[in-house]
Amino acid sequence: QKEVEQNSGPLSVPEGAIASLNCTYSDRGSQSFFWYRQYSGKSPELIMFIYSNGDKEDGRFTAQLNKASQYVSLLIRDSQPSDSATYLCAVNGLRTYKYIFGTGTRLKVLA
Amino acid sequence: DGGITQSPKYLFRKEGQNVTLSCEQNLNHDAMYWYRQDPGQGLRLIYYSQIVNDFQKGDIAEGYSVSREKKESFPLTVTSAQKNPTAFYLCASNQGREETQYFGPGTRLLVL
């Protein structure tokens, strides 16, 4: 079992729809959870981070964390073609400097 | 402007050659990291450093070496022992454990 798992996609959604991206992790001691967006040929850029169970909203983005079920998700409302990218989930464990990344989900927003 | 710079943007390596990738940050972050990304793949950790003059191997350290003589600098050397070095190399930093990591623009290494 991979430490951080994401569906590779592509996930295709029409413009204006809600895109839902999911990530599961294996280490129950994980404390910090991050979503990055990566455009082709570019470096990852932070979208959101979440530390506590529940929802965290920032503009069109909502991160959801459920530590009991070991999953974290990212919702993108009113999806735009410019949101088309690969979304990486990253997890940081307790008392460690190491971050574990999933392989990413490719999102395609169709105009 | 605070941030992370990596140079060069593209690097070409000849057979048997060692090459060094530069990473500099002015964010005053303690921790720095090197990752390798292959096409369609996630990020794999090569080396990381929590403080100056200290660093630890990541998951794929063989064929690579690093140094951390200054807080703001963490160069990565790809040695001739790394037989398949073609990849996108990303440098990152963060202030402490569990803090957000920020990435540099990356260096793409190609083999001639």
Side-chain angles (χ1 to χ4, degrees), chain A residues 3 31-32 34 36 38 40-46 49 51 88 92-104, chain B residues 9 31 33 35 37 40-43 45 48 50 58-59 88 90 94 96-106 108:
Chain A
E3 292 180 82
Q31 296 291 306
S32 311
F34 306 88
Y36 289 87
Q38 186 176 27
S40 181
K42 302 295 185 183
S43 63
E45 55 180 331
L46 180 74
F49 62 86
Y51 299 143
L88 300 171
N92 176 250
L94 185 63
R95 290 186 289 274
T96 176
Y97 276 83
K98 292 178 71 172
Y99 294 70
I100 308 300
F101 284 80
T103 54
Chain B
K9 188 174 181 178
Y33 302 73
Y35 294 94
Q37 188 175 37
Q41 301 296 312
L43 278 60
L45 182 64
Y48 65 104
Q50 300 170 27
D59 303 316
F88 189 41
L90 289 158
N94 51 269
R97 277 198 310 260
E98 305 169 25
E99 298 291 327
T100 299
Q101 274 199 335
Y102 295 94
F103 287 85
R108 197 165 297 278

Short mmCIF file of all heavy atoms in Angstrom, two decimals, chain A residues 3 31-32 34 36 38 40-46 49 51 88 92-104, chain B residues 9 31 33 35 37 40-43 45 48 50 58-59 88 90 94 96-106 108:
data_model
loop_
_atom_site.label_atom_id
_atom_site.label_comp_id
_atom_site.label_asym_id
_atom_site.label_seq_id
_atom_site.Cartn_x
_atom_site.Cartn_y
_atom_site.Cartn_z
N GLU A 3 1.92 5.12 0.65
CA GLU A 3 1.68 5.92 1.85
C GLU A 3 0.63 6.99 1.62
O GLU A 3 -0.16 7.29 2.50
CB GLU A 3 3.00 6.54 2.28
CG GLU A 3 3.99 5.51 2.80
CD GLU A 3 5.30 6.12 3.23
OE1 GLU A 3 5.37 6.63 4.36
OE2 GLU A 3 6.24 6.11 2.43
N GLN A 31 -0.07 14.61 10.68
CA GLN A 31 -0.58 15.81 11.36
C GLN A 31 -0.96 16.94 10.42
O GLN A 31 -1.87 17.70 10.72
CB GLN A 31 0.49 16.32 12.33
CG GLN A 31 0.80 15.37 13.45
CD GLN A 31 -0.35 15.22 14.43
OE1 GLN A 31 -0.86 16.20 14.95
NE2 GLN A 31 -0.80 13.99 14.63
N SER A 32 -0.23 17.08 9.32
CA SER A 32 -0.42 18.23 8.44
C SER A 32 -0.68 17.75 7.03
O SER A 32 -0.04 16.80 6.58
CB SER A 32 0.83 19.12 8.45
OG SER A 32 1.26 19.40 9.75
N PHE A 34 -1.59 18.95 2.90
CA PHE A 34 -1.41 20.05 1.98
C PHE A 34 -1.92 19.66 0.59
O PHE A 34 -1.78 18.52 0.17
CB PHE A 34 0.08 20.42 1.87
CG PHE A 34 0.73 20.69 3.20
CD1 PHE A 34 1.28 19.66 3.94
CD2 PHE A 34 0.79 21.98 3.70
CE1 PHE A 34 1.88 19.91 5.17
CE2 PHE A 34 1.38 22.24 4.92
CZ PHE A 34 1.93 21.20 5.66
N TYR A 36 -1.35 20.95 -3.36
CA TYR A 36 -0.57 21.76 -4.27
C TYR A 36 -1.15 21.61 -5.68
O TYR A 36 -1.64 20.54 -6.06
CB TYR A 36 0.89 21.32 -4.31
CG TYR A 36 1.68 21.63 -3.07
CD1 TYR A 36 1.69 20.74 -1.99
CD2 TYR A 36 2.42 22.80 -2.96
CE1 TYR A 36 2.42 21.02 -0.84
CE2 TYR A 36 3.16 23.09 -1.82
CZ TYR A 36 3.14 22.18 -0.77
OH TYR A 36 3.88 22.47 0.37
N GLN A 38 -0.01 21.89 -9.70
CA GLN A 38 1.18 21.90 -10.54
C GLN A 38 0.76 21.94 -12.00
O GLN A 38 0.17 20.99 -12.52
CB GLN A 38 2.06 20.67 -10.27
CG GLN A 38 3.38 20.71 -11.01
CD GLN A 38 4.31 19.56 -10.68
OE1 GLN A 38 3.86 18.48 -10.29
NE2 GLN A 38 5.60 19.78 -10.81
N SER A 40 1.77 21.93 -16.01
CA SER A 40 2.75 21.16 -16.77
C SER A 40 4.06 21.93 -16.93
O SER A 40 4.06 23.08 -17.37
CB SER A 40 2.18 20.81 -18.14
OG SER A 40 3.10 20.06 -18.87
N GLY A 41 5.17 21.32 -16.52
CA GLY A 41 6.48 21.94 -16.66
C GLY A 41 6.83 22.94 -15.58
O GLY A 41 7.91 23.54 -15.63
N LYS A 42 5.93 23.14 -14.64
CA LYS A 42 6.16 24.12 -13.56
C LYS A 42 6.30 23.43 -12.22
O LYS A 42 6.04 22.23 -12.09
CB LYS A 42 4.99 25.12 -13.50
CG LYS A 42 4.76 25.88 -14.80
CD LYS A 42 5.92 26.77 -15.15
CE LYS A 42 5.62 27.62 -16.37
NZ LYS A 42 6.80 28.46 -16.76
N SER A 43 6.69 24.19 -11.21
CA SER A 43 6.82 23.63 -9.87
C SER A 43 5.48 23.71 -9.13
O SER A 43 4.62 24.50 -9.50
CB SER A 43 7.91 24.37 -9.09
OG SER A 43 7.56 25.73 -8.92
N PRO A 44 5.31 22.90 -8.10
CA PRO A 44 4.05 22.93 -7.34
C PRO A 44 3.86 24.25 -6.60
O PRO A 44 4.83 24.84 -6.10
CB PRO A 44 4.22 21.77 -6.34
CG PRO A 44 5.27 20.90 -6.93
CD PRO A 44 6.21 21.83 -7.63
N GLU A 45 2.62 24.70 -6.53
CA GLU A 45 2.28 25.90 -5.75
C GLU A 45 1.19 25.52 -4.77
O GLU A 45 0.27 24.78 -5.09
CB GLU A 45 1.84 27.04 -6.66
CG GLU A 45 0.70 26.70 -7.59
CD GLU A 45 0.29 27.87 -8.47
OE1 GLU A 45 0.44 29.03 -8.05
OE2 GLU A 45 -0.20 27.61 -9.58
N LEU A 46 1.30 26.04 -3.55
CA LEU A 46 0.36 25.70 -2.50
C LEU A 46 -1.04 26.23 -2.79
O LEU A 46 -1.21 27.39 -3.16
CB LEU A 46 0.85 26.27 -1.16
CG LEU A 46 -0.05 25.98 0.03
CD1 LEU A 46 0.09 24.50 0.43
CD2 LEU A 46 0.30 26.89 1.20
N PHE A 49 -3.71 24.28 3.07
CA PHE A 49 -3.26 23.33 4.07
C PHE A 49 -4.36 23.18 5.10
O PHE A 49 -5.19 24.07 5.29
CB PHE A 49 -1.95 23.77 4.72
CG PHE A 49 -2.05 25.07 5.47
CD1 PHE A 49 -2.47 25.11 6.79
CD2 PHE A 49 -1.70 26.26 4.85
CE1 PHE A 49 -2.55 26.31 7.48
CE2 PHE A 49 -1.78 27.47 5.52
CZ PHE A 49 -2.21 27.49 6.83
N TYR A 51 -5.04 21.21 9.11
CA TYR A 51 -4.48 20.46 10.22
C TYR A 51 -5.53 19.73 11.05
O TYR A 51 -5.25 18.72 11.68
CB TYR A 51 -3.70 21.39 11.17
CG TYR A 51 -2.53 22.11 10.55
CD1 TYR A 51 -2.23 23.42 10.94
CD2 TYR A 51 -1.73 21.50 9.60
CE1 TYR A 51 -1.15 24.09 10.39
CE2 TYR A 51 -0.65 22.18 9.04
CZ TYR A 51 -0.36 23.47 9.45
OH TYR A 51 0.70 24.13 8.90
N LEU A 88 -1.55 17.79 -6.33
CA LEU A 88 -0.76 16.90 -5.48
C LEU A 88 -1.20 17.02 -4.04
O LEU A 88 -1.36 18.12 -3.52
CB LEU A 88 0.73 17.27 -5.57
CG LEU A 88 1.39 17.19 -6.93
CD1 LEU A 88 2.79 17.79 -6.87
CD2 LEU A 88 1.46 15.77 -7.43
N ASN A 92 2.38 15.30 6.14
CA ASN A 92 3.53 15.36 7.02
C ASN A 92 3.18 14.70 8.34
O ASN A 92 2.12 14.96 8.90
CB ASN A 92 3.92 16.82 7.25
CG ASN A 92 5.05 16.97 8.24
OD1 ASN A 92 4.85 17.45 9.34
ND2 ASN A 92 6.23 16.56 7.86
N GLY A 93 4.06 13.82 8.81
CA GLY A 93 3.76 13.06 10.02
C GLY A 93 4.18 13.76 11.29
O GLY A 93 4.79 14.82 11.27
N LEU A 94 3.87 13.10 12.39
CA LEU A 94 4.20 13.66 13.70
C LEU A 94 5.71 13.58 13.93
O LEU A 94 6.34 12.57 13.68
CB LEU A 94 3.48 12.85 14.77
CG LEU A 94 3.59 13.33 16.22
CD1 LEU A 94 2.97 14.71 16.36
CD2 LEU A 94 2.93 12.34 17.15
N ARG A 95 6.28 14.67 14.36
CA ARG A 95 7.70 14.72 14.75
C ARG A 95 8.63 14.29 13.61
O ARG A 95 9.65 13.65 13.82
CB ARG A 95 7.98 13.87 15.99
CG ARG A 95 7.39 14.48 17.25
CD ARG A 95 7.82 13.68 18.49
NE ARG A 95 7.18 12.38 18.54
CZ ARG A 95 6.00 12.19 19.09
NH1 ARG A 95 5.32 13.18 19.59
NH2 ARG A 95 5.47 10.97 19.11
N THR A 96 8.28 14.63 12.39
CA THR A 96 9.16 14.33 11.26
C THR A 96 9.25 15.52 10.33
O THR A 96 8.29 16.28 10.18
CB THR A 96 8.69 13.09 10.48
OG1 THR A 96 9.55 12.93 9.34
CG2 THR A 96 7.27 13.26 9.97
N TYR A 97 10.39 15.66 9.68
CA TYR A 97 10.56 16.71 8.69
C TYR A 97 10.22 16.21 7.28
O TYR A 97 10.28 16.96 6.33
CB TYR A 97 12.00 17.22 8.71
CG TYR A 97 12.26 18.27 9.75
CD1 TYR A 97 12.53 17.92 11.07
CD2 TYR A 97 12.23 19.62 9.42
CE1 TYR A 97 12.77 18.88 12.02
CE2 TYR A 97 12.47 20.59 10.37
CZ TYR A 97 12.74 20.22 11.68
OH TYR A 97 12.97 21.18 12.62
N LYS A 98 9.86 14.95 7.15
CA LYS A 98 9.60 14.39 5.82
C LYS A 98 8.15 14.62 5.42
O LYS A 98 7.23 14.46 6.22
CB LYS A 98 9.92 12.90 5.80
CG LYS A 98 11.39 12.58 5.93
CD LYS A 98 11.65 11.10 5.96
CE LYS A 98 11.41 10.46 4.61
NZ LYS A 98 11.85 9.03 4.59
N TYR A 99 7.98 14.97 4.15
CA TYR A 99 6.66 15.14 3.56
C TYR A 99 6.50 14.05 2.51
O TYR A 99 7.38 13.83 1.68
CB TYR A 99 6.53 16.51 2.91
CG TYR A 99 6.57 17.66 3.89
CD1 TYR A 99 7.75 18.00 4.54
CD2 TYR A 99 5.43 18.40 4.17
CE1 TYR A 99 7.80 19.04 5.44
CE2 TYR A 99 5.47 19.45 5.06
CZ TYR A 99 6.66 19.77 5.69
OH TYR A 99 6.69 20.80 6.59
N ILE A 100 5.36 13.39 2.54
CA ILE A 100 5.08 12.34 1.56
C ILE A 100 4.05 12.86 0.57
O ILE A 100 2.99 13.35 0.97
CB ILE A 100 4.54 11.06 2.24
CG1 ILE A 100 5.46 10.64 3.39
CG2 ILE A 100 4.39 9.94 1.22
CD1 ILE A 100 6.88 10.31 2.98
N PHE A 101 4.39 12.74 -0.72
CA PHE A 101 3.51 13.25 -1.77
C PHE A 101 2.82 12.10 -2.49
O PHE A 101 3.42 11.04 -2.73
CB PHE A 101 4.32 14.05 -2.80
CG PHE A 101 4.72 15.41 -2.33
CD1 PHE A 101 5.80 15.57 -1.48
CD2 PHE A 101 4.00 16.52 -2.72
CE1 PHE A 101 6.16 16.84 -1.03
CE2 PHE A 101 4.35 17.80 -2.28
CZ PHE A 101 5.43 17.95 -1.43
N GLY A 102 1.57 12.32 -2.86
CA GLY A 102 0.89 11.41 -3.76
C GLY A 102 1.37 11.67 -5.18
O GLY A 102 2.09 12.64 -5.44
N THR A 103 0.95 10.81 -6.10
CA THR A 103 1.38 10.95 -7.48
C THR A 103 0.57 11.99 -8.25
O THR A 103 0.91 12.32 -9.37
CB THR A 103 1.31 9.60 -8.21
OG1 THR A 103 -0.02 9.08 -8.07
CG2 THR A 103 2.31 8.61 -7.63
N GLY A 104 -0.49 12.50 -7.62
CA GLY A 104 -1.25 13.58 -8.23
C GLY A 104 -2.45 13.12 -9.03
O GLY A 104 -2.47 12.00 -9.57
N LYS B 9 18.06 26.66 -15.16
CA LYS B 9 16.72 26.17 -15.48
C LYS B 9 16.83 24.84 -16.22
O LYS B 9 16.05 23.93 -16.00
CB LYS B 9 15.99 27.20 -16.34
CG LYS B 9 14.52 26.87 -16.56
CD LYS B 9 13.83 28.00 -17.30
CE LYS B 9 12.35 27.67 -17.51
NZ LYS B 9 11.65 28.78 -18.20
N ALA B 31 14.62 24.46 7.23
CA ALA B 31 14.65 23.17 6.55
C ALA B 31 14.64 23.35 5.03
O ALA B 31 13.91 24.19 4.49
CB ALA B 31 13.46 22.32 6.98
N TYR B 33 14.97 20.96 1.15
CA TYR B 33 14.73 19.63 0.60
C TYR B 33 15.07 19.60 -0.90
O TYR B 33 14.95 20.61 -1.58
CB TYR B 33 13.24 19.26 0.71
CG TYR B 33 12.69 19.27 2.10
CD1 TYR B 33 12.45 20.46 2.77
CD2 TYR B 33 12.38 18.08 2.75
CE1 TYR B 33 11.94 20.48 4.06
CE2 TYR B 33 11.86 18.08 4.04
CZ TYR B 33 11.64 19.29 4.68
OH TYR B 33 11.14 19.29 5.95
N TYR B 35 13.85 17.20 -4.20
CA TYR B 35 12.97 16.17 -4.73
C TYR B 35 13.30 15.93 -6.20
O TYR B 35 13.76 16.82 -6.90
CB TYR B 35 11.50 16.59 -4.66
CG TYR B 35 10.95 16.74 -3.28
CD1 TYR B 35 10.94 17.98 -2.65
CD2 TYR B 35 10.39 15.66 -2.60
CE1 TYR B 35 10.42 18.14 -1.38
CE2 TYR B 35 9.85 15.81 -1.33
CZ TYR B 35 9.87 17.05 -0.73
OH TYR B 35 9.33 17.20 0.53
N GLN B 37 11.34 14.54 -9.74
CA GLN B 37 10.04 14.22 -10.33
C GLN B 37 10.26 13.69 -11.74
O GLN B 37 10.86 14.36 -12.58
CB GLN B 37 9.13 15.43 -10.35
CG GLN B 37 7.70 15.10 -10.79
CD GLN B 37 6.77 16.30 -10.69
OE1 GLN B 37 7.16 17.42 -10.96
NE2 GLN B 37 5.52 16.06 -10.29
N GLY B 40 4.89 12.20 -15.18
CA GLY B 40 3.70 11.52 -14.72
C GLY B 40 3.81 10.93 -13.32
O GLY B 40 2.95 10.17 -12.91
N GLN B 41 4.86 11.30 -12.62
CA GLN B 41 5.09 10.75 -11.29
C GLN B 41 4.99 11.82 -10.21
O GLN B 41 5.05 13.01 -10.49
CB GLN B 41 6.48 10.10 -11.22
CG GLN B 41 6.70 8.99 -12.21
CD GLN B 41 5.79 7.82 -11.97
OE1 GLN B 41 5.66 7.34 -10.84
NE2 GLN B 41 5.10 7.36 -13.01
N GLY B 42 4.90 11.35 -8.97
CA GLY B 42 4.92 12.27 -7.85
C GLY B 42 6.35 12.68 -7.51
O GLY B 42 7.29 12.41 -8.26
N LEU B 43 6.49 13.34 -6.38
CA LEU B 43 7.79 13.81 -5.94
C LEU B 43 8.45 12.76 -5.05
O LEU B 43 7.83 12.24 -4.12
CB LEU B 43 7.64 15.11 -5.14
CG LEU B 43 7.51 16.41 -5.94
CD1 LEU B 43 6.29 16.39 -6.84
CD2 LEU B 43 7.45 17.59 -5.00
N LEU B 45 11.74 12.06 -2.53
CA LEU B 45 12.69 12.80 -1.71
C LEU B 45 14.10 12.27 -1.88
O LEU B 45 14.35 11.06 -1.72
CB LEU B 45 12.27 12.71 -0.24
CG LEU B 45 13.13 13.46 0.77
CD1 LEU B 45 13.08 14.96 0.52
CD2 LEU B 45 12.67 13.14 2.19
N TYR B 48 17.27 15.85 2.60
CA TYR B 48 16.73 17.00 3.28
C TYR B 48 17.66 17.42 4.41
O TYR B 48 18.47 16.61 4.90
CB TYR B 48 15.29 16.75 3.78
CG TYR B 48 15.15 15.70 4.85
CD1 TYR B 48 14.94 16.06 6.18
CD2 TYR B 48 15.16 14.34 4.52
CE1 TYR B 48 14.77 15.09 7.15
CE2 TYR B 48 14.99 13.38 5.49
CZ TYR B 48 14.79 13.75 6.80
OH TYR B 48 14.62 12.79 7.76
N GLN B 50 17.61 19.75 8.06
CA GLN B 50 16.81 20.45 9.07
C GLN B 50 17.51 21.72 9.54
O GLN B 50 16.87 22.70 9.90
CB GLN B 50 16.55 19.54 10.26
CG GLN B 50 15.80 18.26 9.88
CD GLN B 50 15.78 17.27 11.04
OE1 GLN B 50 15.85 17.67 12.19
NE2 GLN B 50 15.65 16.00 10.73
N GLY B 58 17.10 10.86 1.84
CA GLY B 58 15.71 10.58 1.61
C GLY B 58 15.55 9.17 1.05
O GLY B 58 16.35 8.28 1.31
N ASP B 59 14.54 9.00 0.22
CA ASP B 59 14.22 7.67 -0.30
C ASP B 59 15.07 7.23 -1.48
O ASP B 59 15.19 6.04 -1.76
CB ASP B 59 12.74 7.62 -0.70
CG ASP B 59 11.83 7.98 0.46
OD1 ASP B 59 12.08 7.48 1.57
OD2 ASP B 59 10.88 8.76 0.26
N PHE B 88 13.10 16.17 -13.50
CA PHE B 88 12.84 17.54 -13.06
C PHE B 88 13.18 17.58 -11.57
O PHE B 88 12.63 16.81 -10.79
CB PHE B 88 11.36 17.86 -13.31
CG PHE B 88 10.97 19.29 -13.10
CD1 PHE B 88 11.78 20.32 -13.52
CD2 PHE B 88 9.75 19.60 -12.52
CE1 PHE B 88 11.40 21.65 -13.37
CE2 PHE B 88 9.35 20.93 -12.35
CZ PHE B 88 10.18 21.94 -12.77
N LEU B 90 13.41 19.51 -7.97
CA LEU B 90 12.75 20.58 -7.25
C LEU B 90 13.37 20.75 -5.88
O LEU B 90 13.56 19.79 -5.14
CB LEU B 90 11.26 20.26 -7.08
CG LEU B 90 10.44 20.36 -8.37
CD1 LEU B 90 9.17 19.55 -8.26
CD2 LEU B 90 10.14 21.80 -8.69
N ASN B 94 10.95 24.98 4.22
CA ASN B 94 9.89 25.33 5.16
C ASN B 94 10.52 25.73 6.48
O ASN B 94 11.67 25.40 6.76
CB ASN B 94 8.86 24.22 5.34
CG ASN B 94 9.47 22.88 5.66
OD1 ASN B 94 9.76 22.09 4.77
ND2 ASN B 94 9.68 22.62 6.95
N GLY B 96 9.64 24.93 9.67
CA GLY B 96 9.81 23.89 10.67
C GLY B 96 8.95 22.70 10.34
O GLY B 96 8.29 22.65 9.31
N ARG B 97 8.96 21.73 11.25
CA ARG B 97 8.13 20.54 11.07
C ARG B 97 6.68 20.93 10.90
O ARG B 97 6.18 21.82 11.59
CB ARG B 97 8.24 19.63 12.29
CG ARG B 97 9.43 18.72 12.33
CD ARG B 97 9.18 17.60 13.34
NE ARG B 97 8.74 18.13 14.61
CZ ARG B 97 9.55 18.27 15.65
NH1 ARG B 97 10.80 17.96 15.54
NH2 ARG B 97 9.08 18.73 16.79
N GLU B 98 5.99 20.23 10.01
CA GLU B 98 4.56 20.39 9.80
C GLU B 98 4.18 21.73 9.19
O GLU B 98 3.00 22.03 9.05
CB GLU B 98 3.77 20.17 11.10
CG GLU B 98 4.07 18.82 11.75
CD GLU B 98 3.50 18.68 13.15
OE1 GLU B 98 2.52 19.38 13.44
OE2 GLU B 98 4.05 17.91 13.95
N GLU B 99 5.16 22.52 8.83
CA GLU B 99 4.86 23.80 8.19
C GLU B 99 4.79 23.63 6.68
O GLU B 99 5.34 22.69 6.11
CB GLU B 99 5.95 24.82 8.54
CG GLU B 99 6.06 25.12 10.02
CD GLU B 99 4.85 25.88 10.53
OE1 GLU B 99 4.30 26.69 9.75
OE2 GLU B 99 4.46 25.66 11.68
N THR B 100 4.16 24.58 6.03
CA THR B 100 4.01 24.55 4.57
C THR B 100 5.35 24.57 3.88
O THR B 100 6.22 25.36 4.22
CB THR B 100 3.18 25.75 4.11
OG1 THR B 100 1.89 25.67 4.72
CG2 THR B 100 3.02 25.75 2.60
N GLN B 101 5.50 23.70 2.88
CA GLN B 101 6.70 23.71 2.05
C GLN B 101 6.47 24.61 0.85
O GLN B 101 5.40 24.59 0.23
CB GLN B 101 6.99 22.29 1.52
CG GLN B 101 7.79 21.47 2.46
CD GLN B 101 8.46 20.30 1.77
OE1 GLN B 101 8.03 19.81 0.74
NE2 GLN B 101 9.54 19.84 2.36
N TYR B 102 7.50 25.37 0.49
CA TYR B 102 7.46 26.21 -0.69
C TYR B 102 8.53 25.73 -1.66
O TYR B 102 9.61 25.31 -1.23
CB TYR B 102 7.68 27.68 -0.32
CG TYR B 102 6.56 28.22 0.53
CD1 TYR B 102 6.66 28.21 1.92
CD2 TYR B 102 5.39 28.69 -0.05
CE1 TYR B 102 5.62 28.68 2.71
CE2 TYR B 102 4.35 29.15 0.74
CZ TYR B 102 4.47 29.14 2.11
OH TYR B 102 3.43 29.59 2.89
N PHE B 103 8.22 25.80 -2.94
CA PHE B 103 9.10 25.22 -3.95
C PHE B 103 9.76 26.28 -4.81
O PHE B 103 9.19 27.34 -5.08
CB PHE B 103 8.30 24.29 -4.87
CG PHE B 103 7.91 23.00 -4.22
CD1 PHE B 103 6.78 22.90 -3.44
CD2 PHE B 103 8.72 21.88 -4.36
CE1 PHE B 103 6.43 21.71 -2.82
CE2 PHE B 103 8.38 20.69 -3.75
CZ PHE B 103 7.25 20.60 -2.98
N GLY B 104 10.98 25.97 -5.25
CA GLY B 104 11.62 26.76 -6.28
C GLY B 104 11.07 26.39 -7.63
O GLY B 104 10.24 25.48 -7.76
N PRO B 105 11.54 27.08 -8.70
CA PRO B 105 11.00 26.86 -10.05
C PRO B 105 11.45 25.57 -10.71
O PRO B 105 10.89 25.17 -11.71
CB PRO B 105 11.50 28.08 -10.83
CG PRO B 105 12.71 28.51 -10.10
CD PRO B 105 12.49 28.19 -8.67
N GLY B 106 12.49 24.92 -10.16
CA GLY B 106 12.92 23.65 -10.69
C GLY B 106 14.06 23.74 -11.69
O GLY B 106 14.28 24.78 -12.33
N ARG B 108 15.58 21.30 -14.87
CA ARG B 108 15.37 20.11 -15.70
C ARG B 108 16.73 19.61 -16.16
O ARG B 108 17.47 20.36 -16.82
CB ARG B 108 14.48 20.44 -16.89
CG ARG B 108 13.88 19.21 -17.54
CD ARG B 108 12.73 19.58 -18.48
NE ARG B 108 11.62 20.20 -17.79
CZ ARG B 108 10.68 19.54 -17.14
NH1 ARG B 108 10.70 18.23 -17.07
NH2 ARG B 108 9.69 20.19 -16.56
#
